[in-house]
Amino acid sequence: MFDFSEHSHKRYNPLSDTWVLCSPHRAKRPWQGQQEQPNTRSIPEYVSDCYLCPGNKRITGDSNPPYSETHIFQNDFPAVRDQQPNYEPDVLLQNTTAEDQDLMNKLFQVQSVRGTARVICFTPKHNMTMAQMKTNEIVPIIRAWRDQILDLSQRENVNYVQFFENKGAVMGCSMPHPHGQVWATEVIPHEPQRELDSLDKYHQKHGSCMLCDYQKLEISLGTRIVDQNDSFIVVVPFWAVWPFETMILSKQHTTSFVQFTEQQTLDLADMLQSLCARYDNLFQTSFPYSMGIHCAPVKEDPNQSLMHFHMHFYPPLLRSATVKKFLVGFEMLGEPQRDLTAEQACDRLKVLSRVHYLEK
């Protein structure tokens, strides 16, 4: 008889219109590959040469104010900028033959992208990640996200605001001080656009919101729910790719922070604290991840009302604090693959305490 915990199978992700190969029996294989070195050093609350700590100078020479909650500033090395020349096709086609130009017009597409990039310091404390914060210390971060949408939506060249956090050196984070980023662009990035397209197709076919239906189903089944409160669920998605990947989904159809009630703000802070503490408790380490928030576009869009507020967490650790998952080989050339199932991952996360292991 087929057993999801033993036999290979594929699972479909309706949000991204992709598949993931699940190979649960591979979790038993021995590992002699690369192992990360966990950071066991004691980290102080303030570091004099940190570019993000209060009062310190950044690389540009500007000084941070003596902030006490969150602090937001323009990224010193932004990926997108407000002002730049418009792209003209002749730039790409110059000094080429007519034959090459014909092929280039068929194969090469270029879009100029304007926007702005900012940094959000989550806390003045160099050693305080969300996993160790109290719920009331996370609330200012959520309000900062909301305020950024309200501010940036007024700009002519901003249609989408993408919030994200890369936590940990293994995720490419260049600054250890707890912070996230805001990239606001005039075009909707590929990932949220793909989700919007999928949400639209589902709505046209079924007459309902995909993520409204999905969170109701997950609550009913209960097998992949890590935690929940009145406003949000934390779930290991049925189609998860990363070993301990999770989503935070609003129970009500909310498209953006702008629509949040005060209770929803408090409840999201509650779920962020719960999830991040469980992550750290899993391998008793500062758990690395990439986190991103998907909200509705800030300008009028045909699918704007279809977006259902959610957050993605993509953590790389697989077996321990030192062994991470690599998306290589078949996963780069064929399709994503995972070893343990979403249900197995959830079972390991939901039994963990939301009290951080360093506080016990």
Side-chain angles (χ1 to χ4, degrees), residues 69 72 106 109 123 142 151 175 206 245 281 319 340 358:
E69 288 187 336
I72 301 166
K106 295 175 182 176
Q109 295 186 46
T123 170
I142 299 171
D151 176 40
M175 298 284 178
H206 303 288
E245 177 181 332
N281 289 341
R319 300 179 179 212
L340 76 167
L358 292 178

Side-chain angles (χ1 to χ4, degrees), residues 257-284:
F257 292 108
V258 178
Q259 297 180 340
F260 275 21
T261 64
E262 182 61 18
Q263 189 58 52
Q264 285 175 305
T265 298
L266 296 173
D267 284 350
L268 180 57
D270 176 56
M271 288 296 93
L272 284 168
Q273 187 281 325
S274 172
L275 174 61
C276 293
R278 290 170 198 270
Y279 271 157
D280 277 18
N281 289 341
L282 181 62
F283 298 132
Q284 297 202 345

Side-chain angles (χ1 to χ4, degrees), residues 176-196:
H177 191 110
H179 71 284
Q181 298 193 50
V182 189
W183 290 13
T185 56
E186 60 186 332
V187 294
I188 303 173
H190 175 72
E191 290 298 322
Q193 184 61 65
R194 183 165 64 171
E195 291 187 354
L196 282 166

Side-chain angles (χ1 to χ4, degrees), residues 33-93:
Q34 177 176 319
Q35 298 196 30
E36 305 300 321
Q37 295 300 316
N39 186 356
T40 57
R41 294 179 302 148
S42 176
I43 302 174
E45 189 173 298
Y46 169 78
V47 176
S48 60
D49 60 354
C50 168
Y51 292 122
L52 302 185
C53 277
N56 289 358
K57 281 191 176 183
R58 300 202 305 278
I59 191 69
T60 58
D62 295 330
S63 294
N64 299 320
Y67 63 96
S68 58
E69 288 187 336
T70 59
H71 170 51
I72 301 166
F73 62 90
Q74 291 295 130
N75 195 312
D76 296 325
F77 300 95
V80 287
R81 295 178 291 189
D82 280 321
Q83 302 298 325
Q84 67 175 27
N86 289 327
Y87 168 73
E88 300 292 342
D90 289 346
V91 175
L92 184 64
L93 299 176

Side-chain angles (χ1 to χ4, degrees), residues 134-191:
K134 306 300 182 189
T135 298
N136 66 308
E137 294 174 313
I138 298 175
V139 167
I141 302 172
I142 299 171
R143 289 178 176 152
W145 288 330
R146 177 202 62 197
D147 292 345
Q148 286 301 294
I149 287 184
L150 291 171
D151 176 40
L152 291 166
S153 64
Q154 303 305 309
R155 297 198 174 201
E156 181 182 354
N157 63 347
V158 169
N159 187 26
Y160 196 82
V161 181
Q162 180 64 63
F163 301 99
F164 64 94
E165 177 195 7
N166 293 324
K167 181 190 174 196
V170 71
M171 299 308 295
C173 181
S174 59
M175 298 284 178
H177 191 110
H179 71 284
Q181 298 193 50
V182 189
W183 290 13
T185 56
E186 60 186 332
V187 294
I188 303 173
H190 175 72
E191 290 298 322

